[in-house]
Amino acid sequence: MVAVVQRVTEARVSVSEQTISSIGQGILILLGIRRGDDQVKAMRLAERCVNLRIFEDAQGKFNHSLKDVEGNALVVSQFTLIANTSRGRRPSFTDAEAPERARAIYEDFVVALGGHGVTAKAGAFGEHMSVSLVNDGPVTIILEE
């Protein structure tokens, strides 16, 4: 499982030009689910995302987590994070989890974030989405579980 965590001042997901989810200060998480990932990995990764200290304290040091700043999370499923580009010019997605199973793990991940006391919103799994954000910093961290 791969999470690209971006610290944002705002983020929004739209489908067919209609906003379906948006947040203010917090994190945008692009989530890729590998074949064989499970709910246990989703729970661990959610805990890591919520407690990742990427928000600055008064001295400008990364000492605060999403929980500390009472920020929100927006999670967007992105199977392309699992792309294998080691051969040829076209990425292979054979390592990505099957859509039905990936959807359940994705939903478990969003619920797990909320279970840590933060507001967690979701994109539209399996849909063509437009994602817009204002990356704060910019700060972008890649987490793998």
Side-chain angles (χ1 to χ4, degrees), residues 63-118:
N63 277 326
H64 295 302
S65 69
L66 183 64
K67 258 173 102 167
D68 296 331
V69 300
E70 298 179 356
N72 301 312
L74 176 57
V75 185
V76 174
S77 62
Q78 190 169 350
F79 77 95
T80 59
L81 290 174
I82 309 302
N84 181 339
T85 59
S86 62
R87 294 184 47 174
R89 296 182 183 180
R90 180 178 298 158
S92 168
F93 301 106
T94 58
D95 292 337
E97 185 56 83
E100 311 78 41
R101 192 160 184 292
R103 178 188 301 269
I105 295 168
Y106 168 76
E107 290 170 355
D108 288 343
F109 179 82
V110 174
V111 169
L113 287 171
H116 287 284
V118 300

Side-chain angles (χ1 to χ4, degrees), residues 30-48:
L30 305 175
L31 185 68
I33 301 169
R34 286 189 182 95
R35 192 168 301 281
D37 285 343
D38 57 22
Q39 184 180 32
V40 172
K41 285 186 177 183
M43 300 293 217
R44 281 195 311 250
L45 188 58
E47 188 274 331
R48 290 178 66 198

